[in-house]
Amino acid sequence: MISALFLAEGLAQLGCGIGAGIATIGAGLGIGKIGGSAMDAIARQPEATGKIQTNMILTSAFVEGCALFAIAACAFLIK
């Protein structure tokens, strides 16, 4: 018979894995939205390409950083 402690630990690890997966999916969707919006903006104002690309890269880095922290937190919670 499985003890309650092993069951709880297994569920905690499952929750950490699901949390890391959701963080990864959210980051992918966010970066995709940033890239798509930047391409629309560049198509409308080609003269502002440099500023748009700079802001796009900076914002993507922030989104990726948040996702990395979420994944690291999930990884540290798994024993």
Side-chain angles (χ1 to χ4, degrees), residues 1-13 79:
M1 180 177 236
I2 300 174
S3 71
L5 181 61
F6 288 131
L7 182 61
E9 185 177 337
L11 289 175
Q13 290 176 350
K79 293 180 182 181

Side-chain angles (χ1 to χ4, degrees), residues 10-26:
L11 289 175
Q13 290 176 350
L14 178 66
C16 290
I18 290 172
I22 290 172
T24 303
I25 290 170

Side-chain angles (χ1 to χ4, degrees), residues 38-60:
M39 293 301 110
D40 288 341
I42 289 171
R44 290 182 185 154
Q45 281 188 313
E47 66 275 2
T49 300
K51 287 184 178 182
I52 293 169
Q53 283 180 344
T54 302
N55 289 329
M56 176 188 68
I57 291 169
L58 185 63
T59 307
S60 295

Side-chain angles (χ1 to χ4, degrees), residues 53-79:
Q53 283 180 344
T54 302
N55 289 329
M56 176 188 68
I57 291 169
L58 185 63
T59 307
S60 295
F62 288 147
V63 170
E64 192 67 30
C66 289
L68 182 64
F69 281 127
I71 293 169
C74 290
F76 286 136
L77 290 175
I78 296 176
K79 293 180 182 181

